[in-house]
Amino acid sequence: MSQYVCEQRPGNPLWPRDPQRRADIARWQCWNLAHWAPAIQPYVYQNLFKRFRGLGEADDAVLELAASSFRRYAAVLNDHLANRDFLVGNSETLADFTVASYLTYAEQARVPLQSYPHICRWRAEIWRLKAWQAVLPTLS
């Protein structure tokens, strides 16, 4: 869907014309769906959603099981970002917005990012973008 929307505006830098860059963006979007989102979901559900819905306290056993998967995929992302500002190329793309979106409520969900300095730096950079600020939801 996001690729289609970007395609509607020729020259959109979020979905550049270069086929190799597009393939790399799509790779990160697929990685997000297959690995990153499932690794973060238990934190969001246990530490945030359950509280909002009055479903009780976070289940520490579930979070302990989730930690291994999270560490594995956070290390992949952190290592990839070690020598670059963005996931693909020299500027933000759909890949950055896709992967970063799962960190929208990282603090409230207590996603353990503190051991991943490159993710934290990259996330802060994404959060500073006017485009991100314009659509960033707030918790009430």
Side-chain angles (χ1 to χ4, degrees):
M1 174 71 151
S2 59
Q3 295 169 1
Y4 172 79
V5 170
C6 284
E7 188 68 31
Q8 302 311 300
R9 190 177 130 221
N12 190 327
L14 296 178
W15 185 240
R17 298 291 325 155
D18 176 50
Q20 186 172 357
R21 288 191 66 204
R22 282 187 172 191
D24 208 16
I25 292 166
R27 175 179 65 101
W28 280 106
Q29 289 182 308
C30 291
W31 178 85
N32 180 73
L33 286 171
H35 305 295
W36 189 234
I40 291 176
Q41 188 277 335
Y43 294 97
V44 173
Y45 182 79
Q46 293 295 325
N47 293 325
L48 187 62
F49 185 79
K50 283 177 78 173
R51 186 183 67 198
F52 278 154
R53 299 293 297 169
L55 299 174
E57 297 297 314
D59 185 332
D60 290 335
V62 170
L63 292 172
E64 191 172 318
L65 282 172
S68 174
S69 178
F70 175 78
R71 285 191 302 269
R72 177 180 180 187
Y73 297 114
V76 168
L77 182 58
N78 195 66
D79 290 349
H80 182 76
L81 291 166
N83 297 309
R84 56 179 49 95
D85 293 331
F86 301 100
L87 290 173
V88 177
N90 297 321
S91 63
E92 67 273 3
T93 66
L94 282 178
D96 296 288
F97 286 101
T98 300
V99 176
S101 69
Y102 284 85
L103 298 174
T104 300
Y105 301 113
E107 287 82 14
Q108 298 91 334
R110 295 187 296 230
V111 177
L113 290 174
Q114 52 277 21
S115 297
Y116 305 96
H118 305 300
I119 295 174
C120 293
R121 175 201 38 81
W122 165 78
R123 180 178 178 247
E125 195 64 34
I126 298 298
W127 261 237
R128 281 192 282 275
L129 296 171
K130 287 182 184 179
W132 187 265
Q133 290 294 319
V135 298
L136 189 62
T138 58
L139 291 175
S140 56

